[in-house]
Amino acid sequence: MSEKHPSNEIVQTFMCTDRIHRSAVEQQLSVLGIHRSQHMMLMFLAHCDEVPSQTEMARNFEISPAAVTVTLQKLEKAGLVERAMRNGREKEITVSKAGREIVERTKQMFSEIDEVMCDGISDEELDAFMRVQERMQKN
């Protein structure tokens, strides 16, 4: 019979696993010359059907509009997004060709990271882990 772990230990282990994953992702992003927050914004823009306003982006990421502006400026300077005037005052933000290439490269990189982290874990174990996480999120 297996020993039952206290909930605190389980949560701490989950958080440690998250930190390891985040570190691997950040290491891969640094090779591409972008920061995690820039990548998150780039991915968000790449998957939007309609171009969001900077205010909408700030709300989505739960950051200030000024932080959105700074991140977009860095992405624009790197050639990953382009901004153009819309309605005479609002700037329309689109992902450039170089930005789309980064999106595709990182999808592959992150898929590889996920595969390595799940190596040796059966489909049944992964399914059970997913059910436990979903229950924890509902709680």
Side-chain angles (χ1 to χ4, degrees):
M1 186 170 205
S2 65
E3 187 177 312
K4 189 154 176 109
H5 294 283
S7 58
N8 186 301
E9 185 179 345
I10 292 167
V11 171
Q12 291 299 318
T13 301
F14 178 76
M15 289 171 54
C16 179
T17 304
D18 180 57
R19 280 192 302 275
I20 292 167
H21 185 271
R22 185 180 302 234
S23 176
V25 165
E26 288 176 354
Q27 183 178 12
Q28 291 296 314
L29 289 175
S30 70
V31 170
L32 299 175
I34 63 173
H35 187 271
R36 186 174 152 274
S37 62
Q38 294 167 343
H39 181 258
M40 288 172 57
M41 198 166 291
L42 185 65
M43 294 298 284
F44 175 77
L45 290 168
H47 292 98
C48 286
D49 292 329
E50 290 185 26
V51 179
S53 70
Q54 289 184 216
T55 303
E56 291 167 332
M57 292 174 69
R59 224 176 292 123
N60 180 75
F61 288 104
E62 297 179 353
I63 59 176
S64 70
V68 171
T69 299
V70 168
T71 301
L72 288 173
Q73 286 171 342
K74 289 177 182 177
L75 289 170
E76 186 176 23
K77 185 176 180 182
L80 303 177
V81 299
E82 297 166 346
R83 296 197 285 178
M85 294 304 283
R86 175 176 66 173
N87 302 331
R89 65 183 188 106
E90 202 173 314
K91 290 189 177 179
E92 183 175 87
I93 307 146
T94 57
V95 179
S96 69
K97 182 180 178 193
R100 293 207 179 276
E101 289 172 4
I102 292 284
V103 167
E104 291 308 313
R105 284 180 66 189
T106 58
K107 282 181 187 178
Q108 180 63 35
M109 291 169 130
F110 297 167
S111 178
E112 291 169 7
I113 291 169
D114 295 348
E115 284 180 31
V116 168
M117 286 195 77
C118 294
D119 187 42
I121 303 171
S122 72
D123 289 343
E124 293 80 18
E125 290 171 313
L126 291 172
D127 289 341
F129 182 61
M130 183 63 97
R131 285 191 305 275
V132 168
Q133 286 187 89
E134 288 169 350
R135 190 174 307 153
M136 289 173 78
Q137 289 174 9
K138 285 179 184 176
N139 289 347

